[in-house]
Amino acid sequence: MKLISAPLSMFGAKTEIAAIEKGLSVEVEFVPFSLASFYQPKHEEVLRINPKAQVPVLIDGDLEIFDSTQIFEYFEDVRPEPSLWPTDLGDRARSRLLELKSDEVFFPNVVRLFPQNQSAAERAEIETAKGALMSFYDEMNSLLDKTGTEYLAGPYSYADIAFYMAQFFASFIGFPVPKSNAHLLAWRDRAGSRPAVTQVVGKMRAYLNENGVSTDGF
Ligand SMILES: N[C@@H](CCC(=O)N[C@@H](CS)C(=O)NCC(=O)O)C(=O)O
């Protein structure tokens, strides 16, 4: 299998972590990317396969798919064990929803807070986006407090992979999990110390450090 990703793609990192957790042999190819020009020029295979022109893209023989959550589902089908969706049906549904919320509710506010994305109109909404991030952290903290589980939906799952990467990027732009969210901070340490997570996030830290960005605080 070939995974087309990028050195700072949080969606690509989700899929890299999942592949390692599952012991899948995946060759990772990075598209052209720089902190100055981002995803330009676009990679030919990404343009051909994904009408949204985004990474990650996965190629397995004649199968070509895109979107990190679709790639999770494919990994789960080709390598069911270890399962990264909980076996309990309620936990499984919660895990799927949390994975979606991380990508589509939490992360869009992180993107709104990227300095280079802020048009005048968006700047006016900064406080709203910050408030939304903090509320989401509070919600995840309360969830862990209430359930007493080590991970967001019971056992370690795709929901943890997605939210670990999303909060990593929030930290990178200056909005880490606040100290008041002790349960969530303990979760962050637990998820962050998994070898698959350490390996993939370690590569991102190295990329940032090589490009003059310190990752000491997160
Ligand atoms: N929903 C997609 C989002 C993918 C996405 O936003 N990819 C970003 C990199 S993290 C990208 O390729 N951005 C380049 C662009 O939009 O031009 C997924 O889960 O894979």
Side-chain angles (χ1 to χ4, degrees):
M1 285 188 223
K2 181 165 90 171
L3 179 70
I4 307 182
S5 185
L8 280 191
S9 167
M10 94 96 184
F11 293 100
K14 284 172 62 185
T15 58
E16 262 196 86
I17 292 170
I20 298 167
E21 296 281 7
K22 286 199 165 281
L24 287 165
S25 168
V26 173
E27 173 206 341
V28 181
E29 180 185 332
F30 282 164
V31 298
F33 176 86
S34 76
L35 287 171
S37 49
F38 301 102
Y39 290 89
Q40 297 298 338
K42 292 277 182 176
H43 187 281
E44 265 180 33
E45 274 181 308
V46 172
L47 286 175
R48 182 176 61 75
I49 295 168
N50 186 351
K52 296 174 87 172
Q54 293 177 328
V55 291
V57 159
L58 183 79
I59 303 174
D60 189 14
D62 60 3
L63 177 75
E64 299 175 330
I65 59 173
F66 61 88
D67 191 278
S68 58
T69 309
Q70 296 295 315
I71 295 170
F72 279 172
E73 296 295 355
Y74 183 64
F75 285 169
E76 200 61 21
D77 289 342
V78 292
R79 183 65 61 86
E81 297 296 333
S83 178
L84 289 173
W85 290 125
T87 42
D88 175 86
L89 291 189
D91 286 347
R92 182 180 288 235
R94 274 186 281 276
S95 176
R96 289 190 196 279
L97 187 65
L98 285 168
E99 198 267 341
L100 177 139
K101 281 175 76 173
S102 178
D103 282 11
E104 296 185 22
V105 178
F106 180 82
F107 198 67
N109 285 305
V110 177
V111 173
R112 275 179 205 116
L113 291 166
F114 268 77
Q116 63 277 6
N117 284 352
Q118 288 164 16
S119 64
E122 282 161 343
R123 274 195 292 278
E125 287 177 18
I126 283 179
E127 290 311 315
T128 311
K130 278 186 203 166
L133 288 193
M134 295 306 140
S135 298
F136 199 93
Y137 283 144
D138 285 346
E139 184 189 332
M140 294 302 110
N141 190 63
S142 301
L143 174 75
L144 289 162
D145 185 18
K146 194 174 105 196
T147 59
T149 54
E150 292 200 326
Y151 291 105
L152 295 173
Y156 177 70
S157 74
Y158 290 113
D160 300 292
I161 298 175
F163 191 52
Y164 187 86
M165 287 316 308
Q167 65 78 36
F168 177 83
F169 270 82
S171 304
F172 162 49
I173 58 158
F175 302 98
V177 177
K179 289 202 166 54
S180 54
N181 287 166
H183 299 283
L184 191 57
L185 285 172
W187 164 86
R188 188 183 71 177
D189 290 347
R190 205 173 292 126
S193 62
R194 294 186 70 89
V197 178
T198 312
Q199 187 178 327
V200 174
V201 171
K203 275 199 298 181
M204 282 197 167
R205 286 183 195 282
Y207 180 89
L208 287 167
N209 297 159
E210 281 157 21
N211 285 279
V213 181
S214 166
T215 54
D216 288 348
F218 55 97

